[in-house]
Amino acid sequence: RLYDVAKQGKTIAIVGGGFLGSELACALATLSRKHGGNIIQIFPESGILRRVLPEYLSEWTTARVREEGVQIMPKVTVTKAQPNDKKVELQLESADKNQSLSANWLLADHVVVAVGLEPNVQLAKNSGFEIDPNLGGYVVNAELQARNSIWVAGDAACFYDIKLGRRRVEHHDHAV
């Protein structure tokens, strides 16, 4: 359905700088641009996939997505969404207090919200397992073990990667 919208030359705002939002923005950008449309990706981090990738790779990825024709709005959060005729008006706020936005509102034909989720850690709290205070999720070792004979997988696991440090990945492949 979004491909049909992109073929109509519409403005599509994608909220989220993770895997889903970035993959979607790239997939729609060329088609949308060909028909006079616009794809805008909005996220609070400094770069695309910044929660997953080291800074230099996030910067490289952000540049590649921009080259695909996506209008990138890093360090920006959406604070309100409201209908405006047959469009959606998004109220924007800069996450960087030193950065001023050219406009506090963005008008889009369609909005896709592709933001991460907070893992359900109630079992961890009830069982005395450690929860990562910054990334959320169950703290596990590199083998995904939370305690002896207890493993946690998927986006609820906050694991240690020897090259990238402690991280939690919100992606289907990680859960698999």
Side-chain angles (χ1 to χ4, degrees), residues 38 95 136 162 170 172:
N38 193 18
I162 59 172
E170 297 168 352
H172 169 77

Side-chain angles (χ1 to χ4, degrees), residues 42-47 73-77 93-96 99 101:
I42 305 162
F43 47 90
E45 297 83 18
S46 60
M73 295 186 77
K75 298 182 182 179
V76 173
T77 56
E93 184 177 292
S94 175
D96 183 353
Q99 169 188 346
L101 296 170

Side-chain angles (χ1 to χ4, degrees), residues 32-156:
S32 178
R33 197 173 63 235
K34 183 174 153 183
H35 294 281
N38 193 18
I39 304 298
I40 303 166
Q41 189 175 7
I42 305 162
F43 47 90
E45 297 83 18
S46 60
I48 289 175
L49 298 172
R50 185 61 190 104
R51 290 184 180 185
V52 179
L53 300 176
E55 187 172 358
Y56 76 96
L57 279 178
S58 173
E59 288 173 3
W60 182 87
T61 303
T62 303
R64 297 297 82 73
V65 172
R66 193 175 273 127
E67 287 173 7
E68 290 295 318
V70 177
Q71 181 183 336
I72 302 292
M73 295 186 77
K75 298 182 182 179
V76 173
T77 56
V78 176
T79 57
K80 184 177 182 180
Q82 62 190 31
N84 181 332
D85 195 18
K86 292 188 177 197
K87 296 186 182 252
V88 180
E89 197 171 39
L90 300 175
Q91 184 176 20
L92 307 175
E93 184 177 292
S94 175
D96 183 353
K97 300 306 174 197
N98 297 323
Q99 169 188 346
S100 63
L101 296 170
S102 58
N104 290 335
W105 290 91
L106 172 70
L107 201 57
D109 295 291
H110 295 274
V111 177
V112 177
V113 180
V115 297
L117 56 96
E118 292 298 319
N120 183 344
V121 293
Q122 192 58 49
L123 178 62
K125 290 177 182 176
N126 293 344
S127 305
F129 295 163
E130 187 178 357
I131 300 168
D132 188 278
N134 299 318
L135 301 172
Y138 297 66
V139 173
V140 297
N141 63 21
E143 286 78 34
L144 304 180
Q145 190 176 31
R147 294 282 188 275
N148 189 26
S149 300
I150 300 174
W151 288 264
V152 178
D155 53 17

Side-chain angles (χ1 to χ4, degrees), residues 154-169:
D155 53 17
C158 185
F159 62 98
Y160 183 77
D161 181 295
I162 59 172
K163 293 188 179 188
L164 300 173
R166 184 142 306 270
R167 53 191 293 194
R168 190 172 69 82
V169 178

